[in-house]
Amino acid sequence: MLMSSGDKAAKLYYAPGSFRVLRPGQHVFCAVSGEVIPLEDLRYWSAEHQEAYATPEIATRRLLGEA
């Protein structure tokens, strides 16, 4: 089965307040839950850990060392 580039995960560089696309794609995965996060919905990440998070609750737990 052939996959279009729209089916691939993007590779991002996370900076404070923004991110840069290193490899094009339509989504990333939450570092904790594994949930697919469409790039247009990506709001939570850690520049320090270079990870994306699906929800603010997951991000908070991860950054507090609880996840």
Side-chain angles (χ1 to χ4, degrees):
M1 174 183 210
L2 294 175
M3 294 177 68
S4 71
S5 63
D7 294 334
K8 293 183 180 177
K11 181 171 176 68
L12 306 179
Y13 173 78
Y14 302 101
S18 66
F19 58 83
R20 185 176 46 164
V21 177
L22 301 176
R23 184 181 64 225
Q26 296 297 311
H27 64 273
V28 293
F29 295 97
C30 176
V32 176
S33 70
E35 180 179 338
V36 171
I37 308 167
L39 289 187
E40 61 269 12
D41 295 337
L42 180 59
R43 303 285 183 269
Y44 312 102
W45 62 83
S46 167
E48 180 182 353
H49 300 289
Q50 291 297 296
E51 299 177 327
Y53 309 112
T55 66
E57 294 82 15
I58 290 173
T60 300
R61 284 197 331 259
R62 178 67 152 201
L63 297 176
L64 292 174
E66 299 171 5

